[in-house]
Amino acid sequence: MTNLTADDRKRAAALKALDFIADGQIVGLGTGSTAAHFVKALGERVKAGLKITGVATSTAAEALAIEAGITLVGIDEVPHIDITVDGADEADRSFRLIKGGGAAHLREKIVAAASRRMIAILDDSKLVDALGRFPLPVEIVPFACKTTLRHIADAAVAAGCGGNFIRLRGGEAHPVITDNGNAIADLDCQSIPDPEALAAALSAIPGVVEHGLFLGLCSGLIIGTPSGVEVIEPAPHVPEA
Ligand code: 5RP
């Protein structure tokens, strides 16, 4: 038995992600404590001579990258991003993620969608059989936010989710405001039987800016476990005979 803390396991996953980075790449830099380990370790590699350019997913990631000595460009200044490395709040073995625990999932999703590859780094407590134990973050516009919260809860019921308790992050008096000037709703579904159906239903609500379900965006999981790091990648495509 090892005595690795969750943070040790996050750091181990982050360090393993360095193996996926090559000289000359444009690298999307995620947000959160696991991604912070990655950004710091990448900064060390840059000091040792690695040549990469970063694209930050949040003002927090931007500040950290600058401190780590990583050259940054804005996403609109590059035609594509080679690879994005980001944390996650939950992942299943089909590479579906819940993100947004750090209120950054809108920019994280834009960066992931502009990337040729996104890999998620996480500790083993976040790997689940079915998504939904972690309350799903949903970025919403502040206008009519109570109405939007109601519509989100209704959408969750229609998509077959259990629980469906919803709250405004930070509460009405002091709502958390994102880098984009919006609020965050946290939707506690307990389990999400059909993430694709819930994602489509949430995207159809006018006050919803973006939800934290990352579907079809991630193609690799690097998981820190008590006995080492597990890398899960999609099975190679075998053409039919
Ligand atoms: C931020 C995120 C983070 O990647 C997610 O919350 C994981 O955070 P941490 O690595 O601190 O556990 O999605 O919006």
Side-chain angles (χ1 to χ4, degrees):
M1 278 296 282
T2 57
N3 290 319
L4 293 181
T5 63
D7 196 55
D8 292 334
R9 288 176 270 142
K10 288 179 179 187
R11 187 184 300 107
L15 295 183
K16 180 69 184 169
L18 293 172
D19 292 354
F20 291 73
I21 307 301
D23 219 46
Q25 284 184 326
I26 298 169
V27 183
L29 306 172
T31 299
S33 59
T34 318
H37 285 307
F38 173 74
V39 172
K40 286 178 194 160
L42 189 61
E44 292 302 317
R45 288 283 168 96
V46 167
K47 282 178 195 140
L50 178 74
K51 299 218 175 331
I52 58 99
T53 306
V55 173
T57 55
S58 63
T59 52
E62 183 179 317
L64 203 62
I66 290 169
E67 200 184 313
I70 295 173
T71 303
L72 292 175
V73 287
I75 185 167
D76 285 342
E77 295 170 52
V78 290
H80 68 267
I81 295 163
D82 292 296
I83 184 163
T84 286
V85 178
D86 203 346
D89 298 300
E90 247 180 32
D92 70 12
R93 287 180 182 271
S94 301
F95 308 101
R96 298 183 295 191
L97 311 175
I98 287 182
K99 285 186 53 54
H105 63 272
L106 171 59
R107 294 191 189 189
E108 290 172 332
K109 194 178 276 192
I110 292 170
V111 170
S115 303
R116 291 187 168 151
R117 185 162 198 208
M118 177 208 181
I119 53 179
I121 49 178
L122 50 148
D123 73 84
D124 55 340
S125 68
K126 296 173 169 180
L127 185 65
V128 295
D129 291 330
L131 296 177
R133 191 180 60 200
F134 190 91
L136 178 66
V138 184
E139 183 157 343
I140 61 174
V141 292
F143 175 75
C145 75
K146 281 189 191 164
T147 303
T148 303
L149 292 185
R150 254 197 336 269
H151 288 159
I152 291 172
D154 291 348
V157 172
C161 300
N164 306 321
F165 174 74
I166 189 155
R167 69 178 180 92
L168 194 63
R169 193 179 298 178
E172 272 180 50
H174 304 287
V176 167
I177 299 298
T178 69
D179 282 351
N180 319 298
N182 295 311
I184 296 280
D186 289 305
L187 174 66
D188 187 354
C189 295
Q190 292 169 22
S191 74
I192 304 175
D194 187 345
E196 284 74 14
L198 180 60
L202 292 175
S203 295
I205 299 170
V208 167
V209 180
E210 194 52 77
H211 56 76
L213 283 166
F214 280 47
L215 309 176
L217 289 171
C218 173
S219 61
L221 301 176
I222 304 181
I223 301 166
T225 81
S227 55
V229 175
E230 184 186 359
V231 178
I232 306 178
E233 297 204 72
H237 176 68
V238 182
E240 281 178 33

